[in-house]
C-alpha cells in the first residue's frame, strides 16, 4: 500500500511541477511584453513607478478636496462664533470704559475734548459816560408855565443837603466796607502763577529760576479754566503751577502768550481742580475801558503791593489815548496808587469788572498805569483759542485827512519807528514811510493794521504798499513782508 501511494505521488509530482513551470513562463512572457511596450513608448521602469505614484497622489488630492468642503463649513462655524464673541466682549468693554472714564479722568487728570465752538469776545465801543446826579437834575423837564414854579431849584436843594450832612466815622467805614466786599469777590478769581525755568549758575551748576505773577480767572469752560496774567514767558520754561486763593495748587500750561504787550493765557484742566475749589472760584468779567473817566474810583487787585491777594483803592487820574505800541495803539489808564517794582495786577471798577491790566512795563511808578482791557480783547480772544499773534513790527501814527492836507502827506499810517530785526525791518521798510495798504486792504489807521493782523498767522507773506518821500515827493513802493510771531 505504501509503495503504491508513493508511486502515485511520484507519478503526480511531475504534473504539478509542469503546471508551475507553465505559469512561471507565462508571467515571464507577460513581463517581457510589458517592458517591450514601455520601451516603445519611451518610458523607463522608473517613470512607470512615478506614474503610479502620481495616480496615487491624485487620488489623495481628490480625497483632500472632499475633506476641504467639510473643513470650510467648520471654519464658517468658527468664524460666526468668533464674531459673536467679539461683539459681546466689545459691548462689555464699552460699558466698562464708560463707567471708569470719570474716575480715570480724576485720577490721571485727563483733559476733556475741547468744544467745537471757539471763544469769542465782542469788541467794545465808546459810549457817553453816565450822567451824575447833578447832571440828571439839570436835565429834568421844566414845569409848564401855567403851574407854580418851585421856590427853590432842585440842584440847590441837593447841594444844600449834602453840605449840611455831617459825615462821621461810620459812613467812612461803610464806604470802605463796600469797597472791601467788591475786592473780596474779585479775589475769588485771583491766582498766583508760578513758573520754573532750569538754568545754570556761574559755576555751571544746575539751578531752577522761579518767577511769580498774579493772574485772574476770566473764563471757565467745560474742560478748562482760562487765566489772564501779565507776565512775559521765557524760553525753556519747564513747569507752570497755579495757586488758587484757598491755597490749592494745580499744574497748568501756557496756552499762548503775547510778547509785545506782556500778557499770556494760562490753562488749568478742569478735571485737575477739586470740587471745593471749583465752587469757590469766581471768574472776573472783562469790562469796557473806553468808558473810563477822570476821578472814577477804582480798585487795584492782584499784586499791586508785590503780594498776590493785596488790594489798593484809588481813583483814575489820567486817561491817555493813542499810546503808540508795536502794530497797535492803546489807551493807558493811570491811577494815584503807587505800585511795587514787581507788581502785576488789574484795575477793577466798582462793578467788579476788569478795565485795565498792569504789566511789568507799567509797574513801579507813582501812579500805576494799565493798558485798557478793551484794546487787549482781540489778543485775549486769540490767545484763549491757542492761536499765535501775527507781528509786523512797526510803530506808527494815523495820518488823518487834516494832517494829510496841511502837511501834504499821503493818507495812511506814518511809520515813526521800525522795530530792529522785525519783519518790516527785514523786508526793507524805513522810518518816515507811510503805510497805505496791506495786500488789497487800505490802511488808514493803526487800528486797521491790528484788524488786518487778526486774520493772519505767523510766517504768512503779505505785500506792504508804502509811500516813501524823496526829492520829487512821495514814490509808491511795495515790499514782501513775512510776518513774525508775537
Amino acid at each position: 500500500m505504501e509503495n503504491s501511494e508513493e508511486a502515485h505521488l511520484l507519478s503526480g509530482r511531475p504534473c504539478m511541477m509542469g503546471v508551475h513551470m507553465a505559469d512561471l513562463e507565462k508571467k515571464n512572457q507577460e513581463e517581457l511584453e510589458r517592458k517591450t511596450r514601455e520601451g516603445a513608448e519611451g518610458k523607463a521602469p522608473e517613470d512607470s513607478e512615478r506614474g503610479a505614484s502620481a495616480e496615487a497622489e491624485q487620488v489623495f488630492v481628490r480625497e483632500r478636496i472632499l475633506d476641504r468642503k467639510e473643513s470650510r463649513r467648520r471654519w464658517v462655524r468658527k468664524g460666526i462664533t468668533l464674531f459673536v464673541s467679539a461683539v459681546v466682549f466689545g459691548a462689555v468693554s464699552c460699558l466698562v470704559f464708560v463707567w471708569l472714564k470719570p474716575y480715570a479722568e480724576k485720577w490721571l487728570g485727563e483733559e476733556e475734548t475741547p468744544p467745537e465752538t471757539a471763544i469769542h469776545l465782542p469788541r467794545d465801543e465808546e459810549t457817553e459816560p453816565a450822567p451824575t446826579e447833578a447832571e440828571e437834575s439839570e436835565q429834568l423837564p421844566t414845569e409848564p408855565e401855567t403851574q407854580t414854579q418851585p421856590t427853590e431849584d432842585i440842584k440847590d436843594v441837593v447841594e444844600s443837603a449834602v453840605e449840611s450832612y455831617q459825615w462821621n466815622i461810620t459812613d467812612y467805614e461803610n464806604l470802605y466796607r463796600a469797597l472791601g466786599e467788591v475786592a473780596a469777590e474779585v479775589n475769588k478769581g485771583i491766582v498766583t502763577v508760578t513758573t520754573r525755568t532750569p538754568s545754570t549758575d556761574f559755576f555751571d551748576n544746575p539751578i531752577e529760576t522761579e518767577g511769580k505773577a498774579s493772574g485772574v480767572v476770566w473764563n471757565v469752560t467745560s474742560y478748562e479754566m482760562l487765566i489772564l496774567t501779565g507776565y512775559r514767558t521765557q524760553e525753556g520754561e519747564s513747569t507752570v503751577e497755579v495757586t488758587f486763593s484757598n491755597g490749592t495748587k494745580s499744574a497748568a500750561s501756557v496756552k499762548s502768550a503775547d510778547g509785545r504787550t506782556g500778557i499770556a493765557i494760562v490753562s488749568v484742566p478742569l478735571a485737575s481742580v477739586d470740587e471745593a475749589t471749583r465752587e469757590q472760584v469766581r471768574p472776573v468779567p472783562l469790562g469796557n475801558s473806553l468808558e473810563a473817566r477822570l476821578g472814577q474810583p477804582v480798585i487795584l487787585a492782584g499784586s499791586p503791593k508785590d503780594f498776590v491777594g493785596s488790594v489798593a483803592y484809588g481813583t483814575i487820574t489820567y486817561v491817555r489815548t493813542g499810546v503808540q505800541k508795536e502794530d497797535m495803539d492803546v489807551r493807558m489808564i493811570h491811577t494815584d496808587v503807587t505800585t511795587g517794582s514787581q507788581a502785576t495786577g488789574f484795575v477793577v471798577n466798582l462793578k467788579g469788572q476788569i478795565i485795565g491790566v498792569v504789566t511789568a512795563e507799567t509797574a513801579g511808578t507813582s501812579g500805576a498805569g494799565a493798558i485798557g482791557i478793551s484794546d487787549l480783547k482781540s489778543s485775549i480772544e486769540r490767545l484763549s483759542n491757542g492761536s499765535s499773534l501775527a507781528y509786523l513790527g512797526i510803530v506808527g501814527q494815523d495820518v488823518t485827512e487834516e494832517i494829510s492836507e496841511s502837511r501834504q502827506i499821503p493818507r495812511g499810517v506814518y511809520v515813526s519807528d521800525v522795530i530792529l530785526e522785525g519783519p518790516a525791518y527785514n523786508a526793507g521798510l524805513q522810518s518816515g514811510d507811510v503805510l497805505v495798504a496791506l495786500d488789497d486792504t487800505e490802511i488808514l489807521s493803526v487800528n486797521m493794521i491790528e484788524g488786518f493782523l487778526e486774520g493772519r498767522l505767523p510766517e504768512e507773506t503779505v505785500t506792504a504798499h508804502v509811500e516813501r518821500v524823496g526829492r520829487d515827493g512821495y514814490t509808491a513802493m511795495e515790499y514782501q513782508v513775512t510776518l513774525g510771531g508775537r
Side-chain angles (χ1 to χ4, degrees), residues 198-255:
S199 60
T200 56
D201 59 13
F202 292 108
F203 303 99
D204 291 331
N205 296 318
I207 58 175
E208 191 174 57
T209 305
E210 184 177 275
K212 291 182 180 294
S214 61
V216 62
V217 179
W218 81 270
N219 194 7
V220 178
T221 68
S222 60
Y223 65 98
E224 67 179 343
M225 289 185 179
L226 295 174
I227 297 170
L228 170 65
T229 182
Y231 88 105
R232 294 187 181 275
T233 58
Q234 300 178 12
E235 293 185 2
E237 284 182 350
S238 57
T239 58
V240 181
E241 185 180 69
V242 168
T243 305
F244 295 95
S245 57
N246 63 353
T248 302
K249 298 182 179 181
S250 180
S253 61
V254 177
K255 197 161 189 179

Side-chain angles (χ1 to χ4, degrees), residues 436-453:
V436 296
L438 289 171
D439 286 344
D440 297 329
T441 303
E442 185 180 19
I443 300 298
L444 298 177
S445 65
V446 177
N447 288 335
M448 295 182 71
I449 297 177
E450 185 179 6
F452 175 86
L453 295 177

Side-chain angles (χ1 to χ4, degrees), residues 256-257 382-383 385-390 453-454 456-458 484-486:
S256 196
R382 290 181 61 85
L383 297 178
N385 289 313
S387 302
S388 299
L389 303 181
L453 295 177
E454 284 184 15
R456 300 297 185 273
L457 293 173
R486 288 166 54 177

Side-chain angles (χ1 to χ4, degrees), residues 347-363:
V347 178
V348 181
N349 60 22
L350 298 189
K351 297 178 182 178
Q353 301 171 337
I354 296 173
I355 61 173
V357 179
V358 179
T359 63
E361 289 78 6
T362 60

